[in-house]
Amino acid sequence: QLLTLNVATFDLPTLLGGAGLLPCGSMHSGRIVYIWAHDTHGSPAPPPCLEQRWQRGGNAANNSTVLGLLGAKAAFLGTIADSHEKRFLLEDFAKYGVNTEQAVVCEGCECPSSCVILSRANASRTIIHSNKNLPELTVEDFTRVDLTPYQWIHFEGRNVANVAQMIALVREHNKGLTQGEFITTSVEIEKAKPELEALIPLADVVFVSKDYAAFKGYSSMTETLDRVRAVAHPGAVVVCPWGEEGASACRGREVAVHSSAFPPTCVVDTLGAGDTFNAATIFALAHGSALVDSIRFGCRVAGAKVGVVGWEPLR
Ligand code: ADP
């Protein structure tokens, strides 16, 4: 059986408002269509669709959704097409309390979208992505943001040259600040793209996906943590979620910690599980939780997410 999803994406950093401070604006957007079709085995005809839905998407947009659900003062910074989807996207962010005031609206651009075909028979996901002309966030866009109110800035691993400069700007901003005033940076290394490696040494917290690990030939969470921490910033936290096996993490050279997964009674939608895990882990770390407690919280929230379709039932 097949399930099809369309996912519109455009994202960049997720900005998490500092505790007790009003969040600065940011921007976000995304959308998904979801179609569920019958079993194709032995059938010469194209499978009928069982179900379909539209959903906002994109990694940083999903991170923002989860941070909003958890009650964080979250804001999304990224580009958004000035297309007919814009209203849907902005209204959906608002539902989760995510600030979009600083959205970089790009006129004359089409909204990126993806068609995701999900198989109910074997849980496979086939994603066909289209991004015709929406530009990436520029360093100039980023410099327009007043960083002062933010406690944490999370970057999706893409747009490598610009993101590297944005992280450098945050480090510059941190100079001369006391420990409680620092902005923590994190980056997600998710896709199987060699250029993402350049971002690993830059951030304070590095999330490395199972897909990226497989692309690099790493066969376990332990191997991934050891390889990544060898090139990460000294003392950086490296976090590695691994599907049903849960997640592991380490800080600098310290002994790695692990959390098992928290499977729901029935797994119905794993799309965005990693985004959920990352956001919930950031939320816990930003509130001062220990590393092991933070990844356990990430696994708990991600476990709840895979038991429901989208995020709406968790509101
Ligand atoms: P992605 O969605 O990026 O492929 P993963 O599959 O690594 O991410 O999942 C991220 C986290 O989501 C895992 O660490 C785990 O906590 C949770 N998770 C994913 N799949 C399941 C599952 N089938 N049961 C329970 N938890 C899951």
Side-chain angles (χ1 to χ4, degrees), residues 22-39:
L22 287 175
C24 278
S26 65
M27 87 86 162
H28 39 206
S29 51
R31 135 195 130 175
I32 297 179
V33 175
Y34 179 41
I35 300 170
W36 203 325
H38 287 294
D39 199 333

Side-chain angles (χ1 to χ4, degrees), residues 125 190 210 241-244 246-247 261-264 267 270 273-274 277 299 302-303 306:
R125 294 187 304 213
E190 189 213 8
K210 195 175 51 176
W242 207 271
E244 300 94 315
F262 291 83
V267 175
T270 60
F277 169 84
C299 286
V306 301

Side-chain angles (χ1 to χ4, degrees), residues 257-277:
V257 293
H258 178 74
S259 169
S260 53
F262 291 83
T265 315
C266 183
V267 175
V268 297
D269 178 16
T270 60
L271 195 70
D275 299 332
T276 304
F277 169 84

